[in-house]
Amino acid sequence: MALHQDSSLFSHMRDIYHQYRLTPDPKDKQSFYSTECRQICRQDPSYAARESETIVRYLRESGQLINRILRESGLINTDTESLPVKTSCYTVRPLAKSETEEFGSSAVVAPAGYSSVEELRLKAKSEKWVGLRVNMWTDDGFGKGLLVKVKYWWRLEGAGGDGSDDGVWKQILHDILYLGPRNGTEESEGGILVEDLMA
């Protein structure tokens, strides 16, 4: 289901995402996930998840992964070193129509338990998923930092067919498009810019 940037639903989804982003404890973030939430990763298909518990574990272990990425890119020299974070920003927008139909390749979706891209595409359509495109990055004050690009997919759960319950939007899929050092494309996909951390 396509979102429009001026719709009340997009505003609602943007607010939910911001609440999710500001939730510090990975275990508490799990309350935003469907029990069926999964993760795929374009750069490293093995960084997939078939359930929300694995995503929580990944979040808890993210410091090690970030340090490895920054070290391999030459931004830090050792595993124990860290890059200062002066600001943290993100852009958020509805997915373009082409993005709502694109899920990578079979090699990407298979580790998350999907038999094919077509299975995932049909599931998203039949369950009326809605998606947000989010680019998030950190800045050390000198233009260096981590950049993550994600398509967050949400599904409405618990809605009563008789209108007695409006239901709750839950994250159903994390589609990680890029995870690495900043490369100048932070704002290239457009969207509303939000700065959420200032040292």
Side-chain angles (χ1 to χ4, degrees):
M1 183 167 61
L3 278 177
H4 298 284
Q5 189 146 327
D6 58 352
S7 69
S8 59
L9 180 55
F10 171 64
S11 179
H12 178 61
M13 302 304 294
R14 195 180 70 211
D15 289 344
I16 296 174
Y17 172 74
H18 193 67
Q19 294 171 25
Y20 168 76
R21 184 172 172 83
L22 294 180
T23 301
D25 190 308
K27 189 63 179 175
D28 292 339
K29 284 182 181 290
Q30 193 171 10
S31 66
F32 292 86
Y33 304 154
S34 166
T35 56
E36 300 175 20
C37 188
R38 304 188 195 187
Q39 176 171 295
I40 60 177
C41 182
R42 308 297 181 98
Q43 282 180 285
D44 182 359
S46 69
Y47 196 53
R50 298 190 177 201
E51 69 288 309
S52 61
E53 288 79 8
T54 301
I55 298 174
V56 170
R57 177 170 60 82
Y58 285 161
L59 290 172
R60 284 185 172 143
E61 298 171 354
S62 62
Q64 300 171 28
L65 175 65
I66 291 170
N67 275 10
R68 178 176 64 78
I69 291 170
L70 295 177
R71 179 173 47 79
E72 290 177 353
S73 63
L75 295 178
I76 60 176
N77 296 317
T78 67
D79 288 332
T80 57
E81 188 180 356
S82 61
L83 196 67
V85 176
K86 297 295 183 182
T87 59
S88 176
C89 303
Y90 69 92
T91 57
V92 57
R93 63 165 173 78
L95 294 178
K97 188 178 188 307
S98 60
E99 292 175 307
T100 66
E101 300 172 351
E102 194 278 317
F103 292 93
S105 65
S106 294
V108 169
V109 303
Y114 297 108
S115 62
S116 67
V117 171
E118 186 63 15
E119 179 203 353
L120 181 52
R121 184 182 296 116
L122 291 175
K123 183 177 178 65
K125 184 176 182 179
S126 66
E127 296 180 356
K128 299 180 179 179
W129 294 5
V130 299
L132 298 179
R133 174 59 190 269
V134 178
N135 288 3
M136 61 195 97
W137 65 93
T138 60
D139 192 290
D140 67 348
F142 300 97
K144 298 177 181 178
L146 183 75
L147 171 61
V148 186
K149 299 183 178 184
V150 185
K151 289 197 291 189
Y152 285 102
W153 287 96
W154 307 70
R155 182 178 70 182
L156 186 62
E157 299 187 350
D162 58 359
S164 60
D165 192 340
D166 293 335
V168 178
W169 287 98
K170 295 282 189 176
Q171 290 181 24
I172 188 66
L173 180 69
H174 297 177
D175 181 355
I176 301 175
L177 306 170
Y178 175 82
L179 178 59
R182 289 181 60 184
N183 57 16
T185 64
E186 292 84 3
E187 298 183 64
S188 63
E189 281 83 22
I192 298 170
L193 175 64
V194 180
E195 184 176 301
D196 58 7
L197 175 64
M198 178 70 74

